[in-house]
């Protein structure tokens, strides 16, 4: 390397230090909080099935490399009222794992298009009212940018 290149790099380094000190940019140290680094979907469980009915959704192989599960939709007329939701057999729960295991806040937020589905926050269940395919995005609530997506089809 030539001497001028080394001097130019050194001057840029010194200038950046002066700019940071002048504008008062502070380094925020995150103390005592362990952030989520990964969310892994482990499966989909059907939570309201009767004896003899499948209680898990099968993993679908697709060429796009997306995580995709499917289950058999049990036909019926389902509405958004409490009684219909309580008896609906097309209720799923996304089984996920948050890493690291000692993360300070392990809660995730669910994001999806609410067309033909309802989300029950207390139990983190998604209820399908009709046959549909829904892409669910799980995002860490601790402020980290960690997200994962899974497709679920009720066929």
């Amino acid at each position: 390397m030539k001497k001028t290149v080394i001097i130019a790099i050194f001057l840029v380094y010194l200038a950046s230090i002066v700019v940071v000190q002048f504008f008062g940019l502070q380094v925020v140290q995150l103390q005592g909080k362990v952030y989520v680094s990964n969310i892994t979907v482990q499966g989909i469980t059907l939570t309201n099935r009767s004896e003899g009915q499948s209680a898990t959704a099968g993993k679908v192989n697709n060429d796009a490399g997306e995580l995709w599960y499917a289950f058999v939709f049990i036909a019926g007329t389902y509405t958004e009222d409490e009684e219909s939701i309580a008896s609906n057999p097309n209720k799923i729960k996304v089984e996920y794992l948050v890493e690291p295991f000692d993360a300070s806040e392990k809660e995730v937020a669910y994001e999806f298009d609410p067309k033909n589905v309802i989300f029950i926050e207390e139990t983190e269940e998604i209820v399908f009212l009709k046959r549909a395919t829904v892409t669910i995005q799980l995002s860490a609530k601790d402020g980290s940018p960690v997200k994962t997506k899974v497709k679920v089809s009720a066929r």
Side-chain angles (χ1 to χ4, degrees):
M1 246 195 247
K2 292 192 173 194
K3 191 175 184 181
T4 55
V5 172
I6 294 173
I7 292 173
I9 291 172
F10 182 72
L11 290 175
V12 168
Y13 175 73
L14 286 178
S16 66
I17 291 173
V18 170
V19 167
V20 168
Q21 287 182 353
F22 177 77
F23 288 109
L25 300 175
Q26 297 177 354
V27 176
V28 178
Q29 292 183 349
L30 306 172
Q31 296 175 349
K33 190 167 185 176
V34 178
Y35 286 89
V36 173
S37 62
N38 190 30
I39 301 171
T40 306
V41 174
Q42 296 187 311
I44 303 292
T45 304
L46 294 137
T47 59
N48 204 22
R49 291 291 169 113
S50 301
E51 188 71 33
Q53 296 175 332
S54 176
T56 57
K59 202 170 191 179
V60 177
N61 293 326
N62 64 351
D63 296 333
E66 299 170 311
L67 186 55
W68 198 337
Y69 289 87
F71 68 94
V72 176
F73 182 84
I74 296 179
T77 304
Y78 306 110
T79 61
E80 295 185 22
D81 65 73
E82 273 187 47
E83 188 176 310
S84 178
I85 291 171
S87 64
N88 189 327
N90 303 302
K91 215 181 273 189
I92 67 163
K93 184 168 180 73
V94 178
E95 303 295 336
Y96 60 89
L97 178 67
V98 174
E99 296 176 274
F101 300 111
D102 62 343
S104 300
E105 189 176 342
K106 294 183 180 183
E107 291 184 25
V108 299
Y110 288 76
E111 298 173 35
F112 56 89
D113 183 8
K115 188 177 182 181
N116 299 323
V117 294
I118 297 171
F119 181 66
I120 304 171
E121 281 191 52
E122 299 82 38
T123 58
E124 292 187 337
E125 292 176 307
I126 298 169
V127 183
F128 282 75
L129 302 175
K130 296 180 181 180
R131 284 181 172 86
T133 297
V134 177
T135 301
I136 303 165
Q137 179 172 288
L138 302 174
S139 306
K141 283 187 172 180
D142 64 356
S144 63
V146 177
K147 298 177 182 180
T148 191
K149 288 183 180 181
V150 61
K151 276 189 177 182
V152 181
S153 293
R155 299 179 179 182

mmCIF file of all heavy atoms in Angstrom, residues 1 11 14 20 36 38 72 77 81 92 132 140 145 155:
data_model
loop_
_atom_site.group_PDB
_atom_site.id
_atom_site.type_symbol
_atom_site.label_atom_id
_atom_site.label_comp_id
_atom_site.label_asym_id
_atom_site.label_seq_id
_atom_site.Cartn_x
_atom_site.Cartn_y
_atom_site.Cartn_z
ATOM 1 N N MET A 1 0.831 -1.172 0.000
ATOM 2 C CA MET A 1 0.000 0.000 0.000
ATOM 3 C C MET A 1 0.882 1.244 0.000
ATOM 4 O O MET A 1 1.916 1.269 0.647
ATOM 5 C CB MET A 1 -0.865 0.008 1.256
ATOM 6 C CG MET A 1 -2.330 -0.151 0.971
ATOM 7 S SD MET A 1 -3.301 0.301 2.388
ATOM 8 C CE MET A 1 -3.965 -1.262 2.810
ATOM 9 N N LEU A 11 -6.703 9.744 8.355
ATOM 10 C CA LEU A 11 -7.412 11.030 8.441
ATOM 11 C C LEU A 11 -8.930 10.835 8.499
ATOM 12 O O LEU A 11 -9.621 11.536 9.254
ATOM 13 C CB LEU A 11 -7.019 11.927 7.270
ATOM 14 C CG LEU A 11 -5.577 12.467 7.289
ATOM 15 C CD1 LEU A 11 -5.274 13.252 6.018
ATOM 16 C CD2 LEU A 11 -5.377 13.344 8.520
ATOM 17 N N LEU A 14 -9.742 9.743 12.056
ATOM 18 C CA LEU A 14 -9.714 10.872 12.985
ATOM 19 C C LEU A 14 -10.914 11.791 12.784
ATOM 20 O O LEU A 14 -11.511 12.269 13.748
ATOM 21 C CB LEU A 14 -8.408 11.663 12.816
ATOM 22 C CG LEU A 14 -7.137 11.015 13.376
ATOM 23 C CD1 LEU A 14 -5.920 11.892 13.079
ATOM 24 C CD2 LEU A 14 -7.272 10.799 14.871
ATOM 25 N N VAL A 20 -18.282 12.415 15.642
ATOM 26 C CA VAL A 20 -19.081 11.754 16.673
ATOM 27 C C VAL A 20 -19.047 12.558 17.969
ATOM 28 O O VAL A 20 -20.075 12.761 18.611
ATOM 29 C CB VAL A 20 -18.586 10.299 16.906
ATOM 30 C CG1 VAL A 20 -19.197 9.707 18.165
ATOM 31 C CG2 VAL A 20 -18.913 9.432 15.705
ATOM 32 N N VAL A 36 -33.866 -11.702 21.913
ATOM 33 C CA VAL A 36 -34.163 -12.887 21.107
ATOM 34 C C VAL A 36 -33.274 -12.865 19.869
ATOM 35 O O VAL A 36 -33.154 -11.841 19.198
ATOM 36 C CB VAL A 36 -35.653 -12.910 20.694
ATOM 37 C CG1 VAL A 36 -35.933 -14.031 19.711
ATOM 38 C CG2 VAL A 36 -36.541 -13.028 21.919
ATOM 39 N N ASN A 38 -33.394 -15.801 17.665
ATOM 40 C CA ASN A 38 -33.984 -16.697 16.678
ATOM 41 C C ASN A 38 -35.348 -17.186 17.157
ATOM 42 O O ASN A 38 -35.532 -17.429 18.346
ATOM 43 C CB ASN A 38 -33.060 -17.897 16.445
ATOM 44 C CG ASN A 38 -33.492 -18.737 15.264
ATOM 45 O OD1 ASN A 38 -34.078 -18.228 14.314
ATOM 46 N ND2 ASN A 38 -33.217 -20.020 15.320
ATOM 47 N N VAL A 72 -56.510 -30.842 7.394
ATOM 48 C CA VAL A 72 -57.819 -31.059 6.779
ATOM 49 C C VAL A 72 -58.845 -30.192 7.503
ATOM 50 O O VAL A 72 -59.045 -30.318 8.713
ATOM 51 C CB VAL A 72 -58.229 -32.545 6.846
ATOM 52 C CG1 VAL A 72 -59.627 -32.739 6.285
ATOM 53 C CG2 VAL A 72 -57.224 -33.402 6.096
ATOM 54 N N THR A 77 -70.485 -24.488 9.221
ATOM 55 C CA THR A 77 -70.743 -23.049 9.146
ATOM 56 C C THR A 77 -70.215 -22.428 10.430
ATOM 57 O O THR A 77 -70.755 -22.662 11.509
ATOM 58 C CB THR A 77 -72.256 -22.773 9.001
ATOM 59 O OG1 THR A 77 -72.728 -23.484 7.865
ATOM 60 C CG2 THR A 77 -72.523 -21.289 8.827
ATOM 61 N N ASP A 81 -68.982 -15.463 16.422
ATOM 62 C CA ASP A 81 -69.528 -15.389 17.776
ATOM 63 C C ASP A 81 -68.823 -16.398 18.686
ATOM 64 O O ASP A 81 -68.250 -17.383 18.234
ATOM 65 C CB ASP A 81 -71.050 -15.594 17.783
ATOM 66 C CG ASP A 81 -71.462 -16.983 17.345
ATOM 67 O OD1 ASP A 81 -71.261 -17.919 18.135
ATOM 68 O OD2 ASP A 81 -71.990 -17.119 16.218
ATOM 69 N N ILE A 92 -55.951 -23.672 15.490
ATOM 70 C CA ILE A 92 -54.544 -24.081 15.510
ATOM 71 C C ILE A 92 -53.735 -23.265 16.499
ATOM 72 O O ILE A 92 -54.128 -22.161 16.887
ATOM 73 C CB ILE A 92 -53.882 -23.966 14.111
ATOM 74 C CG1 ILE A 92 -53.776 -22.493 13.686
ATOM 75 C CG2 ILE A 92 -54.597 -24.806 13.086
ATOM 76 C CD1 ILE A 92 -52.796 -22.252 12.561
ATOM 77 N N ALA A 132 -58.654 -21.815 3.793
ATOM 78 C CA ALA A 132 -57.800 -20.675 3.438
ATOM 79 C C ALA A 132 -56.340 -21.050 3.643
ATOM 80 O O ALA A 132 -56.023 -22.028 4.316
ATOM 81 C CB ALA A 132 -58.144 -19.468 4.309
ATOM 82 N N ALA A 140 -40.396 -10.973 17.357
ATOM 83 C CA ALA A 140 -40.019 -10.823 18.771
ATOM 84 C C ALA A 140 -40.561 -9.496 19.286
ATOM 85 O O ALA A 140 -40.479 -8.475 18.616
ATOM 86 C CB ALA A 140 -38.510 -10.878 18.918
ATOM 87 N N PRO A 145 -34.990 -7.278 15.890
ATOM 88 C CA PRO A 145 -35.611 -7.381 14.562
ATOM 89 C C PRO A 145 -35.878 -8.821 14.108
ATOM 90 O O PRO A 145 -36.099 -9.068 12.930
ATOM 91 C CB PRO A 145 -34.573 -6.716 13.655
ATOM 92 C CG PRO A 145 -33.280 -7.019 14.325
ATOM 93 C CD PRO A 145 -33.570 -6.976 15.808
ATOM 94 N N ARG A 155 -57.266 -27.160 4.193
ATOM 95 C CA ARG A 155 -57.734 -27.671 2.901
ATOM 96 C C ARG A 155 -58.988 -28.491 3.050
ATOM 97 O O ARG A 155 -59.203 -29.171 3.969
ATOM 98 C CB ARG A 155 -56.653 -28.532 2.257
ATOM 99 C CG ARG A 155 -55.399 -27.730 2.003
ATOM 100 C CD ARG A 155 -54.351 -28.612 1.397
ATOM 101 N NE ARG A 155 -53.160 -27.812 1.128
ATOM 102 C CZ ARG A 155 -52.095 -28.298 0.566
ATOM 103 N NH1 ARG A 155 -52.035 -29.554 0.221
ATOM 104 N NH2 ARG A 155 -51.056 -27.550 0.342
#
